[in-house]
Amino acid sequence: MGKRVALVLAGCGVFDGSEIHEASAALVHLSRGGAEVKIFAPNIEQRDVVNHLKGSPAEEKRNVLVESARLARGNIQDLAELKASEFDAVIFPGGFGVAKNLCSWAVDGKNCTVNEHVNSTLQAFHSAKKPIGLCCISPVLAAKVFPGCEVTVGQDKNVDGRIPEEHLAWRKVGKSCKFSCLLSQTFENQLVSYALGIIFQTY
């Protein structure tokens, strides 16, 4: 029987939600590895909405769970319903929604708060010594929830000029964790080999 993996989304779209390429790539690799995947997202309002064509704010409100349902083809559950005991691992794709919706890192930096259900999910998997996959900017969640851990971060430069400076949340990282460039590790059975982030080993 394949491993049971929970995938946690933060919306739909790189600038205000989950990075679609990363989420899709994770799902493809997990599928190829024979994993049984269930998708979750918090049922909360997005911090903001970004016009992805222009990279500018849009004057509207959107819900993280509803937007994430686009990527999940509607087959998604409220993160509050996730039980670590029912899964072998959890993966968080990147995207600025992680730093805006799953936590407040994009605006509060090292003084950020983490969504209560994201926090409890990470704590539960860590306590059960189950792997936690963190892609791109998602390692900032571990930096806040697990002080002292070693993680990687994504881009350190505004490559094409479309990313507002305040969205480069990595610049606000405190010194409570060690940040470095590490090669991706994999689950014990080579369940996934995903180079966009890390697998935070907890066992």
Side-chain angles (χ1 to χ4, degrees), residues 28-132:
V28 167
H29 281 284
L30 291 167
S31 177
R32 288 176 177 173
E36 177 186 344
V37 181
K38 289 190 178 181
I39 304 174
F40 298 84
N43 186 11
I44 57 175
E45 187 176 290
Q46 288 186 187
R47 178 173 292 276
D48 62 7
V49 177
V50 176
N51 179 324
H52 280 59
L53 179 62
K54 298 180 179 180
S56 59
E59 296 299 323
E60 58 182 287
K61 302 291 184 181
R62 296 191 181 185
N63 178 279
V64 174
L65 179 59
V66 173
E67 290 301 297
S68 297
R70 295 174 181 272
L71 289 170
R73 295 182 173 181
N75 188 12
I76 192 169
Q77 294 175 261
D78 188 337
L79 183 60
E81 300 174 8
L82 193 159
K83 296 181 176 59
S85 60
E86 297 178 355
F87 295 91
D88 298 299
V90 63
I91 293 179
F92 290 77
F96 289 115
V98 173
K100 294 178 175 182
N101 304 324
L102 303 190
C103 71
S104 63
W105 204 289
V107 294
D108 298 326
K110 65 181 181 180
N111 298 317
C112 75
T113 57
V114 177
N115 173 273
E116 61 175 315
H117 298 302
V118 173
N119 194 325
S120 62
T121 294
L122 290 170
Q123 294 285 4
F125 276 86
H126 182 267
S127 296
K129 300 188 182 301
K130 295 179 177 180
I132 299 170

